[in-house]
Each structure stands twice: as structure tokens, then as C-alpha cells.
């Protein structure tokens, strides 16, 4: 008989952690009300008429005999789905145990594959076997949890004067649905084939138990997605921001800094100074750096050596104009009113590329 790590964490932990956990889940205080008997019917003295009985405030008859009362009432709050990962969210009207993920940095080209792999990693880490049973649907093996319930423990609304043996069996079903635009995917967790046997008799279980099991696994998957995404972003940053060459629609060459404008703007400033361009002025609204280039050792009152290599371009004033280009930033270089030649761009490219990458790693 296999007892999964998840089962111990999601179900049995309340018992094995001791009495303090039990106290948290059951009601406390006086329970004299459970012994109150219904009042006798109204007796009408002789010579008086019985008043008409209205129905406006009549309490309907209910069969509450099987329901837990007093200390047996479970007051533990249901476990909520926690969308803690960047790009994760839940719908306010959601009735299923489901979370949505939008593609964000670090997930690569497919949010579907990224989330799916995170789910499989959680199952594998918890030693839960699974199989594919349909398109984007997976079913885990049947798991069994066996535990002793202490008498009067109130464990999920059950308990008694003597200890009882509890056995629960269930499977997890994972279903993934991806939007047609491939930028968003949803993952739902369901508990199937749930049975509960207490003291040798099968008994119904409160929906809270099943819901908490589903939320426990889904929250673990959300945390894994978040961990993997943050790790991927950290690795990308450690590797540095890349720069490439491209052609603008007008046909001239431009630098493409592979990051958004907010990140590229300060990096370009540092990179330019690193390779010999002195920033004399700037205009962030137009995305422009006004710079002047001097060959190493040619500056006014030159003393000692400069810490940049000669770029092999003409000395003088230039403008580096940055423009948001999707998720990247294009950099067009002007000298006066003219865009510099492709030869100029090729001459400066390697030094500029290396400087941007170096500064992004600091």
C-alpha cells in the first residue's frame, strides 16, 4: 500500500502534528445549547380562543441528526488558491480549483509547456505516478491514507469517545486548457474517486476536505511555476542583455538591445561611456543621448591611458536615439542630421554589444 508524501502533507498532517492543530480546527466554548429540548406546544387556558398561527417567521423543519454539532463542528477555513506567481491569476467567479497563467519573462516560448513541466516536477518530487488519459488531461495513481483519529478530536467533523481508524483513497486529475493565442493557459486540479472509511464504515466527507486537497496540490504547482520563472529570469540577467544588428524599415542599420526601453535606457548610457562616448546631454522623452567621441589619449589635458579601445571612427558629436521596438529597444545613431553609415554601425557594434552585456551583469 502506497502512502504518498502529498497525502501526508494535505490530509494527515493535522493529526500527526498533535493536539494544537486539532484545537485550531474545532469549535471551543460552551455547548449547552446542544442539550436544549424544543419547548412544549402553547397551552390555551379555558375560555380563551387560540390565536391564529402566522407563517411569516416559521422555521422550517430540517433533519440535522447526522450533522456535526458542538465540539464536532469543523471551523477550519477552506484553503484558498493563491496566485503568487508573476502572471498567475484566479477569477472572482471561479467555482473550480483552477488558476490561469499568462506568459511572462523566463517562460520561454510556451507558457503551456512551462506550466505543464512545473506540474510534473511537483508530482515527481512527491513520488506520485500519473498517466495521460486525454488531450491535456492527466490522472494520478490511486493513493491511500491511513490514520488513527483520536477520540473527541473533531477531525473534519468526526470523532467519538474512542479512537477510530480512518482510511481515505483518491486520485488527482489535472486538466490544462490553453487559449488559441497561446499566451495564456489554465490548470485545474480535481480529486476523483474519493472514499472515506472510519471504523470500518464508509462515510460521507465534507466538501471542504476535497477542496483543500485540490488547493494544496494546485498551490504547490503555482509555487513551482513561480520558482522556475524567477530562476530563469535570474539566469537571463546573469548572462547579460544581448544586442544584435538589424535593418530598420527605411533600410539603415540599427542596434537592437534585447530588453524594453525602461531597462535599455540606463544601460545604453553606461555602455556609451564605457567605450569612449562622453554623454554631454540627454532627453529621455525623445530617447536621445547627445554624445561626443574622442580617440583614446586625445582628450584635453590628457594624462595617462584611457580605459577604452579605439573604435576606428571619426571624432565628433553623435546622437544615439532609442525607440521602443516591441519587447526590445532599437538604437539609431545620427551624426548631425544624417544617420551614420552601415560601415560605422558595423565598426562600433562589437564594442557596444559587449559594453551593454557587461553593464547589465553588474
Amino acid at each position: 500500500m502506497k502512502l504518498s508524501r502529498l497525502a501526508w502533507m494535505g490530509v494527515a498532517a493535522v493529526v500527526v502534528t498533535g493536539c494544537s492543530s486539532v484545537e485550531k480546527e474545532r469549535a471551543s466554548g460552551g455547548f449547552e445549547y446542544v442539550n436544549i429540548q424544543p419547548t412544549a406546544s402553547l397551552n390555551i387556558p379555558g375560555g380563551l380562543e387560540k390565536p391564529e398561527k402566522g407563517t411569516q417567521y416559521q422555521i422550517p423543519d430540517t433533519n440535522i441528526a447526522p450533522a456535526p454539532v458542538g465540539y464536532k463542528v469543523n471551523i477550519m477555513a477552506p484553503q484558498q488558491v493563491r496566485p503568487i506567481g508573476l502572471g498567475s491569476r484566479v477569477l472572482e467567479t471561479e467555482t473550480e480549483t483552477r488558476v490561469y497563467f499568462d506568459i511572462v519573462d523566463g517562460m520561454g516560448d510556451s507558457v503551456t509547456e512551462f506550466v505543464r513541466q512545473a506540474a510534473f516536477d511537483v508530482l515527481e518530487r512527491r513520488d506520485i505516478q500519473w498517466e495521460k488519459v486525454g488531450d491535456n488531461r492527466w490522472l494520478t495513481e490511486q493513493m491511500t491514507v491511513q490514520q488513527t483519529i483520536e477520540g473527541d478530536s473533531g477531525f473534519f467533523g468526526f470523532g467519538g469517545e474512542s479512537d477510530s481508524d480512518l482510511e481515505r483513497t483518491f486520485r488527482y486529475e489535472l486538466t490544462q486548457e490553453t487559449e488559441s493565442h497561446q499566451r495564456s493557459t489554465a490548470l485545474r486540479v480535481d480529486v476523483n474517486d474519493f472514499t472515506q472509511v472510519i471504523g470500518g464504515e464508509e462515510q460521507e466527507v465534507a466538501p471542504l476536505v476535497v477542496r483543500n486537497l485540490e488547493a494544496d496540490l494546485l498551490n504547490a504547482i503555482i509555487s513551482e511555476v513561480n520558482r522556475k520563472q524567477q530562476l530563469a529570469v535570474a539566469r537571463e540577467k546573469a548572462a547579460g542583455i544581448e544586442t544584435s544588428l538589424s535593418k530598420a524599415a527605411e533600410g539603415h542599420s540599427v542596434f537592437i538591445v534585447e530588453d524594453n526601453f525602461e531597462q535599455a535606457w540606463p544601460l545604453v548610457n553606461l555602455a556609451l561611456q564605457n567605450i569612449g562616448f562622453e554623454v554631454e546631454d540627454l532627453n529621455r522623452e525623445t530617447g536621445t543621448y547627445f554624445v561626443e567621441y574622442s580617440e583614446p589619449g586625445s582628450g584635453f589635458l590628457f594624462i595617462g591611458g584611457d580605459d577604452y579601445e579605439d573604435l576606428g571612427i571619426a571624432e565628433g558629436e553623435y546622437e544615439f536615439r532609442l525607440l521602443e521596438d516591441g519587447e526590445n529597444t532599437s538604437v539609431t545613431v545620427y551624426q548631425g542630421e544624417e544617420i551614420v553609415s552601415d560601415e560605422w554601425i558595423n565598426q562600433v557594434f562589437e564594442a557596444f554589444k559587449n559594453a551593454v552585456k557587461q553593464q547589465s551583469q553588474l
Side-chain angles (χ1 to χ4, degrees), residues 4 78 88 101 120 132 178 199 211 256 281-282 339-340:
S4 76
S88 64
F101 295 94
F120 291 164
K132 186 174 182 179
T178 300
R211 172 72 179 190
I256 299 294
D281 199 0
L282 56 86
I339 297 175
V340 298

Side-chain angles (χ1 to χ4, degrees), residues 13 55 61 101 147 172 185 192 216 234 249 252 297 327 358:
T55 59
D61 293 331
F101 295 94
Q147 187 63 42
Y172 282 115
T185 190
N192 294 342
D216 176 82
H252 59 271
E327 296 181 353
Q358 180 186 23

Side-chain angles (χ1 to χ4, degrees), residues 156-172:
F156 288 118
F158 295 95
E161 294 299 328
S162 60
D163 293 350
S164 302
D165 292 330
L166 175 146
E167 180 177 284
R168 287 174 174 162
T169 60
F170 59 93
R171 301 176 188 269
Y172 282 115

Side-chain angles (χ1 to χ4, degrees), residues 44-295:
I44 307 300
L48 297 178
E49 295 183 1
K50 185 178 181 178
E52 294 184 2
K53 185 178 180 180
T55 59
Q56 183 177 2
Y57 302 105
Q58 182 176 352
I59 299 175
D61 293 331
T62 57
N63 180 20
I64 63 171
V69 295
Y71 71 90
K72 293 183 179 181
V73 175
N74 187 294
I75 61 170
M76 181 176 289
Q79 190 170 162
Q80 302 298 316
V81 176
R82 303 186 299 272
I84 62 173
L86 182 64
S88 64
R89 53 190 169 86
V90 294
L91 302 181
E92 293 183 0
T93 58
E94 186 63 73
T95 58
E96 306 287 344
T97 310
R98 175 168 29 210
V99 67
Y100 296 82
F101 295 94
D102 298 324
I103 191 167
V104 294
D105 290 343
M107 289 186 174
D109 298 328
S110 174
V111 62
T112 302
E113 292 299 326
F114 193 89
V115 171
R116 182 179 302 168
Q117 187 58 54
F120 291 164
D121 288 349
V122 170
L123 293 177
E124 183 176 353
R125 187 161 59 245
R126 296 185 171 188
D127 197 24
I128 301 175
Q129 303 299 318
W130 73 92
E131 63 177 346
K132 186 174 182 179
V133 293
D135 292 339
N136 301 315
R137 193 163 66 92
W138 301 267
L139 191 65
T140 71
E141 62 184 336
Q142 179 174 302
M143 292 169 286
T144 301
V145 177
Q146 292 178 323
Q147 187 63 42
T148 299
I149 306 175
E150 298 178 2
D152 293 335
S153 67
F155 182 72
F156 288 118
F158 295 95
E161 294 299 328
S162 60
D163 293 350
S164 302
D165 292 330
L166 175 146
E167 180 177 284
R168 287 174 174 162
T169 60
F170 59 93
R171 301 176 188 269
Y172 282 115
E173 180 180 343
L174 281 70
T175 306
Q176 189 175 26
E177 301 168 327
T178 300
E179 297 289 346
S180 58
H181 51 64
Q182 301 296 310
R183 296 190 301 275
S184 179
T185 190
L187 184 67
R188 189 179 81 239
V189 174
D190 296 288
V191 166
N192 294 342
D193 306 326
F194 189 99
T195 62
Q196 175 172 261
V197 177
I198 298 179
E201 296 184 2
E202 185 170 341
Q203 299 191 20
E204 293 184 1
V205 67
L208 170 69
V209 176
V210 175
R211 172 72 179 190
N212 280 359
L213 279 171
E214 295 170 347
D216 176 82
L217 179 60
L218 188 55
N219 284 335
I221 294 173
I222 296 171
S223 295
E224 181 68 6
V225 170
N226 184 54
R227 186 190 71 83
K228 285 180 172 293
Q229 184 268 334
Q230 290 187 356
L231 183 60
V233 170
R235 286 173 176 169
E236 290 176 0
K237 290 183 177 180
I241 295 174
E242 296 292 340
T243 303
S244 59
L245 284 177
S246 183
K247 287 285 188 179
E250 296 77 11
H252 59 271
S253 294
V254 295
F255 301 128
I256 299 294
V257 179
E258 297 178 3
D259 208 336
N260 58 54
F261 180 89
E262 294 298 324
Q263 299 294 328
W265 174 254
L267 286 178
V268 169
N269 185 356
L270 297 171
L272 290 175
Q273 297 181 61
N274 188 258
I275 60 176
F277 291 94
E278 181 181 354
V279 177
E280 297 184 328
D281 199 0
L282 56 86
N283 187 329
R284 196 179 187 283
E285 291 186 1
T286 63
T288 304
Y289 283 110
F290 302 89
V291 303
E292 182 175 0
Y293 176 74
S294 300
E295 294 179 359

Side-chain angles (χ1 to χ4, degrees), residues 304-354:
D306 290 308
D307 57 357
Y308 60 90
E309 300 292 332
D310 186 1
L311 297 177
I313 59 174
E315 295 183 325
E317 296 179 345
Y318 296 91
E319 294 180 18
F320 282 73
R321 301 181 185 178
L322 282 64
L323 181 66
E324 192 86 30
D325 185 9
E327 296 181 353
N328 300 323
T329 304
S330 67
V331 182
T332 302
V333 185
Y334 286 77
Q335 186 174 31
E337 298 298 325
E338 301 293 332
I339 297 175
V340 298
S341 66
D342 290 352
E343 290 75 16
W344 192 100
I345 292 292
N346 291 330
Q347 190 72 22
V348 175
F349 173 66
E350 286 298 328
F352 181 75
K353 171 186 175 181
N354 293 336

